[in-house]
């Protein structure tokens, strides 16, 4: 268990360093990640606005973050909970298999984001 915990802490640090590098790049270039779906189709995908949403969250501008991508903003607490719960279970048991409750949450989030992606282009 201790070995798994140390491994996950190392992974978390690497992810945070990569995220910090991206935030640094986005903050100084004022350029986000181009969306291939939007480039090809001209339609907004379910995650369009995610970079601006994250940058707004880092500034604690919750209204701005919500306005950039409502669905991801509302889904974020649920996704963070599911991610952390799954990590905790892995550290505790060593099993990487998803629990049925986590699978249901993730499928519901996928369905929610797909419906949001379709509706945002209609309205």
């Amino acid at each position: 268990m201790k070995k798994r915990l140390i491994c996950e802490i190392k992974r978390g640090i690497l992810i945070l360093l990569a995220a910090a590098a991206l935030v640094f790049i986005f903050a100084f270039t004022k350029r986000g990640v181009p969306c291939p779906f939007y480039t090809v189709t001209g339609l907004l995908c379910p995650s369009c606005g995610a970079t601006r949403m994250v940058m707004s969250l880092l500034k604690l501008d919750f209204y701005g973050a919500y306005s950039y991508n409502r669905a991801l903003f509302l889904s974020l607490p649920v996704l963070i909970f599911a991610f952390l719960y799954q990590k905790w279970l892995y550290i505790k048991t060593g099993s990487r298999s998803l629990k049925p409750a986590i699978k249901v949450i993730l499928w519901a989030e996928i369905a929610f984001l797909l419906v949001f992606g379709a509706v945002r282009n209609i309205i």
Side-chain angles (χ1 to χ4, degrees):
M1 184 169 139
K2 184 177 178 181
K3 185 178 177 181
R4 288 189 298 268
L5 176 62
I6 291 170
C7 182
E8 289 302 312
I9 289 172
K10 287 179 184 178
R11 285 182 186 171
I13 290 171
L14 286 175
I15 289 170
L16 287 175
L17 288 173
L22 285 174
V23 166
F24 182 76
I25 291 168
F26 295 147
F28 287 102
T29 63
K30 305 292 184 202
R31 306 251 334 151
V33 178
C35 178
F37 184 79
Y38 180 76
T39 303
V40 172
T41 65
L43 299 172
L44 298 172
C45 76
S47 67
C48 278
T51 304
R52 290 173 288 165
M53 181 193 76
V54 169
M55 295 303 285
S56 291
L57 284 174
L58 291 174
K59 297 174 189 170
L60 300 178
D61 177 13
F62 297 107
Y63 180 75
Y66 177 76
S67 67
Y68 286 127
N69 192 317
R70 290 167 173 79
L72 274 178
F73 182 82
L74 295 174
S75 298
L76 209 53
V78 175
L79 293 173
I80 290 171
F81 168 78
F83 176 78
L84 292 177
Y85 179 71
Q86 190 62 35
K87 288 293 179 185
W88 177 75
L89 286 177
Y90 167 68
I91 292 168
K92 183 178 172 188
T93 65
S95 173
R96 290 202 182 268
S97 63
L98 294 174
K99 297 290 180 186
I102 299 295
K103 287 181 183 178
V104 169
I105 289 170
L106 293 178
W107 281 112
E109 288 295 330
I110 289 169
F112 173 64
L113 290 172
L114 290 174
V115 168
F116 170 75
V119 170
R120 82 187 301 193
N121 286 299
I122 295 171
I123 296 177

